[in-house]
Amino acid sequence: MARFSMLDIALIRRDPERVRRALVRRGQDPSVVDELLRSDEEYRSALGAVERAKAEKNRISAAIGQASDKAAAAAELRPQIDALAAEIAAMEERARAFSVVDAGTPLNLRLSQLPNLLDDSVPDGTDESHNVELRRGVEPRAFDFDPKPHWELGERLGILDFSRAAKLSGSRFAVLSGAGARLARALATYFLDRANERGYLEVAPPLLVTQSTMWSTGQLSKFADDMFQDRDAQLFMIPTAEVPLTALRGDEILDASELPVKYVACTPCFRREAGAAGKDTRGLVRQHQFDKVELVWLTAPDASFAALETLTRHAESLLAELELPYRVIELCAGDTGFNAAKTYDLEVWVPSNNAYREISSCSNCTDFQARRASIRYRPDAKAKPAFVHTLNGSGLAIGRTLVAVMENYQNRDGSITIPAVLQPYFGGDRIG
């Protein structure tokens, strides 16, 4: 399988200042660029020495072949050939030590840890406080009673059970039953139907994937601590359907006529949430296992940023159709994820938090993942294959949408009204 670094070393050679600037904007040390360039120079110098030694070895071998007394020529020149062979082996070993393109070398691993280059349109900023609100949907409801959190509503209605889930699996799990399970299923079916109407191909991918698949989509080694895995089988439980959907066309060359490729899947997702100790310890917002509908695009490079706007609107429209209060946020440089060149977050209003909470993250990863997974396309019949751009976004997370529906549509008597667009899927207009 052909595998490439996430950032192209040719780009770093050609425009190192751009890479330094992107790292600084993310709050990272740009000196790694100089380290990579020095190693790359050593690598190319060693390769040059190998090629010169091979050419000299070939010249001497040819001279032996052309000599009138080949045996005498071989006896005279063999020590030079042996010396050159030893030099070639030594310089090839030196090249491997400094390689930034050969898999597994220290410098290649360092290169693979560099985040994607930010698009110039991404706003400056160090953390979420510098994110930019772009627009809102309906405003949050003004309750004429004290709204309850979803866990209290759910337990009173008998549709949400955390204590029995803890008995089965420990903390950060939930059991949905009756109308709760039916509402979750209604949301998933509704989201999938809307994606199908918009031309997405529905996929039911494996939930266990190889280490290579996780690496190819940028989950490893950066996010290894957040993953559940079977170390004996060397398989990982997917943290999001983005992983198998993006890698589905790995090591393939697509025809330009296929683009854009649009996939959708509804899968369970599994995350250790290792970095979230003490956060959202109650309720459905942060679970080890949750269902999510994921949208993934493969596009031509010149179409990817327009595709990001479309993808985001597709996810946003689901919140609008559910008539949930939400806002669209453009992430600043310091808050943009490792794989992404640009990201929009969709945040839904959660009354129990008195705040907007993320429910979808829509990102253009440019060719960052495609380089690792080797997903290419041929612009025309005679063109050299080029890397596609990959995009992904939640459309939407089922558990967090369930939270938003329960809390925003609750009534004084503790019942929950079902949003109009969901009623045909749910089979009723109310829980309780």
Side-chain angles (χ1 to χ4, degrees), residues 30-50:
S31 65
V32 65
V33 174
D34 299 309
E35 179 184 349
L36 286 166
L37 288 174
R38 285 194 297 271
S39 296
D40 183 52
E41 182 59 35
E42 291 275 6
Y43 172 70
R44 290 192 289 164
S45 174
L47 285 185
V50 166

Side-chain angles (χ1 to χ4, degrees), residues 138-149:
V138 297
E139 288 300 311
R141 172 184 170 189
F143 289 92
D144 58 3
F145 60 91
D146 289 333
K148 303 292 191 297

Side-chain angles (χ1 to χ4, degrees), residues 326-389:
Y326 72 89
R327 63 180 185 175
V328 181
I329 302 294
E330 183 176 12
L331 299 194
C332 72
D335 202 31
T336 299
F338 178 80
N339 290 331
K342 182 171 184 170
T343 298
Y344 297 120
D345 273 3
L346 307 182
E347 298 180 346
V348 70
W349 180 257
V350 179
S352 62
N353 292 160
N354 195 37
Y356 288 96
R357 299 297 302 271
E358 179 197 331
I359 196 168
S360 175
S361 194
C362 300
S363 298
N364 183 358
C365 298
T366 57
D367 67 355
F368 198 63
Q369 294 174 317
R371 289 185 58 79
R372 266 198 177 184
S374 189
I375 311 171
R376 294 177 288 173
Y377 80 109
R378 203 180 297 277
D380 59 61
K382 296 182 179 179
K384 180 180 178 181
F387 292 107
V388 302
H389 282 191

Side-chain angles (χ1 to χ4, degrees), residues 7-16 40 100-101 111 371:
L7 282 189
D8 187 357
I9 187 62
L11 169 64
I12 299 176
R13 293 173 192 149
R14 184 173 66 250
D15 196 356
D40 183 52
V100 291
V101 294
L111 181 62
R371 289 185 58 79

Side-chain angles (χ1 to χ4, degrees), residues 77-382:
L77 298 174
R78 175 58 61 185
Q80 294 183 45
I81 291 176
D82 291 342
L84 285 167
E87 181 182 345
I88 289 168
M91 294 310 294
E92 286 179 336
E93 184 63 28
R94 180 175 177 81
R96 280 192 292 272
F98 285 99
S99 176
V100 291
V101 294
D102 293 344
T105 65
L107 266 299
N108 177 273
L109 292 174
R110 189 68 181 272
L111 181 62
S112 71
Q113 291 167 358
L114 291 181
N116 199 358
L117 296 184
L118 295 167
D119 187 66
D120 289 342
S121 66
V122 174
D124 290 332
T126 57
D127 55 39
E128 63 181 17
S129 66
H130 296 103
N131 294 341
V132 177
E133 182 178 316
L134 299 180
R135 55 187 177 272
R136 293 191 180 201
V138 297
E139 288 300 311
R141 172 184 170 189
F143 289 92
D144 58 3
F145 60 91
D146 289 333
K148 303 292 191 297
H150 67 278
W151 58 86
E152 188 173 327
L153 287 166
E155 288 173 342
R156 287 185 179 182
L157 290 167
I159 63 174
L160 195 52
D161 195 326
F162 294 99
S163 61
R164 288 192 174 97
K167 179 174 64 176
L168 296 174
S169 306
S171 61
R172 295 193 189 273
F173 291 92
V175 172
L176 292 170
S177 59
R182 194 162 76 250
L183 179 56
R185 176 162 50 87
L187 285 166
T189 305
Y190 174 64
F191 294 160
L192 287 170
D193 281 356
R194 294 295 283 129
N196 286 324
E197 291 166 8
R198 289 166 169 156
Y200 290 82
L201 176 65
E202 186 173 346
V203 177
L207 305 181
L208 293 168
V209 297
T210 64
Q211 181 174 340
S212 174
T213 300
M214 292 287 281
W215 188 88
S216 71
T217 53
Q219 309 300 315
L220 294 178
S221 55
K222 184 73 173 176
F223 307 109
D225 291 343
D226 289 337
M227 308 304 164
F228 287 104
Q229 61 177 301
D230 181 333
R231 296 183 185 277
D232 292 334
Q234 295 187 324
L235 292 172
F236 289 80
M237 302 176 79
I238 62 169
T240 165
E242 171 200 337
V243 173
L245 292 183
T246 302
L248 195 60
R249 304 299 294 272
D251 297 299
E252 293 185 24
I253 299 175
L254 286 65
D255 190 89
S257 63
E258 292 185 70
L259 301 178
V261 174
K262 299 187 292 184
Y263 293 130
V264 62
C266 181
T267 68
C269 305
F270 306 92
R271 298 183 189 177
R272 293 179 61 187
E273 300 286 3
K279 289 191 67 178
D280 299 310
T281 55
R282 299 193 68 179
L284 292 171
V285 170
R286 198 178 295 273
Q287 298 270 286
H288 288 313
Q289 175 186 324
F290 57 95
D291 289 342
K292 180 159 66 79
V293 173
E294 188 72 9
L295 310 172
V296 165
W297 287 49
L298 310 178
T299 76
D302 60 0
S304 66
F305 283 98
L308 176 61
E309 301 300 322
T310 302
L311 170 64
T312 303
R313 289 289 187 180
H314 286 171
E316 179 185 353
S317 69
L318 301 173
L319 295 170
E321 291 162 11
L322 290 168
E323 299 182 82
L324 289 169
Y326 72 89
R327 63 180 185 175
V328 181
I329 302 294
E330 183 176 12
L331 299 194
C332 72
D335 202 31
T336 299
F338 178 80
N339 290 331
K342 182 171 184 170
T343 298
Y344 297 120
D345 273 3
L346 307 182
E347 298 180 346
V348 70
W349 180 257
V350 179
S352 62
N353 292 160
N354 195 37
Y356 288 96
R357 299 297 302 271
E358 179 197 331
I359 196 168
S360 175
S361 194
C362 300
S363 298
N364 183 358
C365 298
T366 57
D367 67 355
F368 198 63
Q369 294 174 317
R371 289 185 58 79
R372 266 198 177 184
S374 189
I375 311 171
R376 294 177 288 173
Y377 80 109
R378 203 180 297 277
D380 59 61
K382 296 182 179 179

